[in-house]
Amino acid sequence: MQKDDAGVWSVTTDPLEPDYYGYSFVTDGVGLIDPRNPLMKPNLLGPQSMVHVSGPAALPWEINDVPHGIVHHHFYKSSVVGDQRDYYVYTPPGYDPAAKKTYPVLYLLHGYSDDASGWTAVGRANVILDNLMAQQEAKPMVVVMTLGYGDPEMLSLGSRAFSHQDLRQRNLDKFRSALLTEILPQIEKEYRVSNDRSSRAIAGLSMGGSESLFVGITSADRFGWIGAFSTGGLSDDFDQQFSEMKAKDATSLKLLWIACGTDDHLIEPNRKLREWLTSKGIKHTDIDTPGAHTWMVWRRNLAAFAPLLFQTK
C-alpha cells in the first residue's frame, strides 16, 4: 500500500476474476479486518474481510432470481466432545416439515480453522444449491454443516496440531462418534430426511475431507456417497487409518469423489490415497482442478459434486 499526501493508504490490485476474495490489513505487525466492510470471512484463527468481484449469473455462487432454501442454525451440548457447539441445516426450496415427503441428506464438513458457518458464509453452499436445483441439475436435498472438531485441542495448538498423530486420530474418532451418535439421530428426528444409506452423503474440504473419508469409508454401511476436496490430515499409513473398513461396504459405494487443486501442496498425498484405493479394489473418481488450497477451488468442487448425488443408475 502507498500513503498519499493526505495520509490515506491505498492499493490497486491486478484485475481479478469474478469470485469472493479474502483480505486483511497488517498494521505494526498486527493483522486487522477492514472496519468499514461488513462482508466477513469467519475463521477461528484468522478471520478476514471479503470482497466480492461480481460475475455473470451463470456462476454458481452468484445470487439469482430463483427460489431460495432456508439456512437454520442450531445449538446443542455434545456429550462426546464435552462442549456447547452448533450446526447449520439448509432446507431446499419447497421443503415442508409437515409434509410426508422425505429428502436425501448431505453432511458437508468445513476445513481446519473454519467454524460451522464456513460453507454458507464463505463457500456459498446454499446459493450454489439454490441455483443447481433451479436449473434441475441437482436433486433437492437437505444439507447439514456441523462443527468439525472432535477434539478442540486441534485449534489450541494451531497448525502444530497436525504434527501430533495421536491428536489427529483422536479428533477423527471423536468427530465420527459425535456425528453418528448425536448429529445424525437429531437430524433424522427434526427434519424430513431419508434414513437409508443410498440417501446419505458426506463430503468436506481439507480437514473436512479427511473426516468425510474416514467417517464415510469406515461407516460405509451408513453413507453411499463420499466427496473429499483437497484432503489433508490423514495418516500416511492408509491400511492402519482405515483398519475398520469393511471391504464389502466400501467397494459398493455409489460414489467416491476425490478432488484436489493441481497447485495445492496436498496434491501428492491425495494421489497416494487414490493409488491405495485402487489397490483395495475401491472405485473412485479422481478430479484434478486448477488452483491451490483455496475456497475458489472448493466452491467449484461443490458445484461439480452436488449434481452427482442421489442419482439413480
Side-chain angles (χ1 to χ4, degrees), residues 29-40:
V30 179
L32 303 168
I33 60 172
D34 187 342
R36 305 188 74 173
N37 180 3
L39 190 59
M40 286 289 300

Side-chain angles (χ1 to χ4, degrees), residues 52-283:
H52 175 209
V53 180
S54 60
L59 291 175
W61 54 82
E62 294 286 347
I63 295 178
N64 285 285
D65 185 14
V66 299
H68 299 294
I70 299 174
V71 177
H72 313 258
H73 194 188
H74 298 272
F75 298 85
Y76 81 105
K77 170 66 181 292
S78 172
S79 299
V80 172
V81 183
D83 63 5
Q84 298 283 346
R85 50 185 45 211
D86 64 338
Y87 61 92
Y88 291 79
V89 179
Y90 165 87
T91 51
Y95 175 88
D96 182 355
K100 292 183 179 181
K101 179 180 179 179
T102 60
Y103 292 81
V105 57
L106 165 63
Y107 291 85
L108 186 60
L109 313 179
H110 64 75
Y112 181 72
S113 77
D114 292 327
D115 64 18
S117 73
W119 265 112
T120 51
V122 191
R124 312 284 291 172
N126 53 312
V127 177
I128 290 170
L129 288 163
D130 286 344
N131 289 331
L132 290 174
M133 291 175 195
Q135 297 159 9
Q136 297 186 328
E137 292 186 12
K139 295 278 190 181
M141 67 185 79
V142 170
V143 182
V144 180
M145 296 155 282
T146 186
L147 192 65
Y149 306 100
D151 191 326
E153 192 178 359
M154 286 291 294
L155 281 170
S156 62
L157 289 179
S159 60
R160 292 180 293 118
F162 289 94
S163 64
H164 297 269
Q165 176 60 34
D166 57 339
L167 173 59
R168 284 159 47 195
Q169 188 59 48
R170 188 163 64 249
N171 185 62
L172 288 170
D173 288 335
K174 294 183 75 174
F175 174 78
R176 178 178 60 181
S177 180
L179 181 68
L180 296 182
T181 67
E182 295 178 340
I183 296 293
L184 194 146
Q186 191 68 15
I187 294 299
E188 294 183 353
K189 176 183 177 182
E190 295 186 349
Y191 288 90
R192 301 203 62 80
V193 296
S194 304
N195 60 6
D196 60 284
R197 179 200 192 208
S198 63
S199 298
R200 283 199 207 102
I202 186 168
L205 69 92
S206 195
M207 180 188 76
S210 66
E211 291 171 341
S212 68
L213 288 168
F214 178 71
V215 176
I217 290 176
T218 62
S219 305
D221 59 327
R222 311 284 289 275
F223 298 92
W225 316 76
I226 303 173
F229 316 152
S230 308
T231 295
L234 291 175
S235 167
D236 294 334
D237 186 347
F238 298 124
D239 284 325
Q240 193 280 329
Q241 182 78 88
F242 298 105
S243 60
E244 300 172 58
M245 177 183 75
K246 295 180 175 61
K248 180 181 178 181
D249 294 328
T251 55
S252 63
L253 286 165
K254 294 181 178 295
L255 178 66
L256 177 52
W257 200 84
I258 302 177
C260 195
T262 52
D263 298 319
D264 195 319
H265 65 287
L266 294 172
I267 187 68
E268 286 307 317
N270 275 263
R271 288 171 175 164
K272 290 178 181 178
L273 171 65
R274 295 164 180 171
E275 292 172 0
W276 179 82
L277 290 167
T278 299
S279 73
K280 298 297 179 181
I282 301 173
K283 294 181 181 179

